[in-house]
Amino acid sequence: MKRSALIYSAIFFCVSILAWNVLSASRSTSEYLTIKSHSNKSVAETPYHTMMQVLTHERCLNCHPNDNVPKQGDQSHPHYFGMSGGEEDKGFAATKCATCHQKENNSYSGVPGAPHWALAPKSMAWEGRTAAEIAANMLDTSKNGNRSHEDLIHHLTEDELVLWAFDPGVDHEGQPRTKPPVSEAEYKAAVKAWFANGAIIPEE
């Protein structure tokens, strides 16, 4: 292949990636729900469903409330002591989340812990939403803190607070908390595969 052809091919590839990023950044949550896969549907759907088994599990949803009130347990009951997220999703002056939730689980008291423990922002309220609505909300840069696909992959697979779901420790009675139904390794692989295949949200 001639050098000029290689240069044109490289320019076309870069322009295509840039166009995809621009389109993604300008879409709303509802628009993400209307994007359908026209290629290899099963390739995109399998990682999506594996990933969503984690993101819709109580270990994740309890900190994505729709009323600014953190939830607890497999029943997702309101947090004891009347706690709520406050204006910055980290509790109030005398009752900050980090006052009790340290950087790691406390196996003596049963208080769970991980770095920067806090509620998800109100724009990321997932409680009561379908899996597709959660995925669309997650991709919407106007709701997700302007995170790109690369930022989301890092957040979902590297953030210690997210990964706490796979090491949730024990409750106040010393009983192990339930974990998501897939392993951490399967989840991470699914997240990366879903984004690599275009982050398509299948029809429910």
Side-chain angles (χ1 to χ4, degrees), residues 14-36:
C14 292
V15 169
S16 298
I17 293 295
L18 177 62
W20 168 256
N21 286 333
V22 169
L23 287 172
S24 297
S26 62
R27 290 185 180 120
S28 67
T29 299
S30 59
E31 287 173 323
Y32 278 108
L33 290 171
T34 65
I35 302 171
K36 309 302 180 187

Side-chain angles (χ1 to χ4, degrees), residues 24-203:
S24 297
S26 62
R27 290 185 180 120
S28 67
T29 299
S30 59
E31 287 173 323
Y32 278 108
L33 290 171
T34 65
I35 302 171
K36 309 302 180 187
S37 172
H38 297 293
S39 55
N40 192 340
K41 193 173 181 179
S42 62
V43 169
E45 287 192 7
T46 300
Y48 168 82
H49 290 302
T50 300
M51 175 182 71
M52 295 312 297
Q53 287 185 72
V54 177
L55 301 188
T56 59
H57 191 271
E58 290 79 9
R59 294 288 79 77
C60 285
L61 288 182
N62 282 353
C63 287
H64 283 263
N66 58 18
D67 55 3
N68 203 32
V69 175
K71 305 301 188 298
Q72 292 180 305
D74 294 341
Q75 299 77 30
S76 297
H77 60 77
H79 195 294
Y80 293 132
F81 317 119
M83 297 297 296
S84 65
E87 294 184 357
E88 297 182 352
D89 308 312
K90 298 178 181 178
F92 296 94
T95 54
K96 292 285 188 184
C97 300
T99 301
C100 293
H101 298 282
Q102 302 297 305
K103 293 183 178 179
E104 57 186 22
N105 296 322
N106 187 324
S107 58
Y108 294 101
S109 66
V111 176
H116 63 89
W117 195 277
L119 286 186
K122 295 176 183 176
S123 64
M124 299 295 289
W126 293 353
E127 183 181 13
R129 292 190 171 188
T130 66
E133 290 171 338
I134 289 172
N137 175 255
M138 181 174 65
L139 294 173
D140 186 344
T141 53
S142 71
K143 306 286 180 61
N144 72 7
N146 200 34
R147 286 189 170 101
S148 66
H149 284 191
E150 290 75 17
D151 295 333
L152 288 171
I153 292 170
H154 183 270
H155 175 65
L156 292 170
T157 64
E158 301 294 335
D159 192 311
E160 292 181 73
L161 181 55
V162 175
L163 299 180
W164 169 85
F166 298 98
D167 182 25
V170 299
D171 63 17
H172 65 285
E173 296 179 338
Q175 299 300 314
R177 292 185 175 87
T178 58
K179 300 179 183 179
V182 299
S183 72
E184 181 177 342
E186 291 173 314
Y187 160 74
K188 288 182 174 179
V191 170
K192 294 174 182 176
W194 183 62
F195 278 102
N197 285 296
I200 301 298
I201 303 172
E203 295 181 72

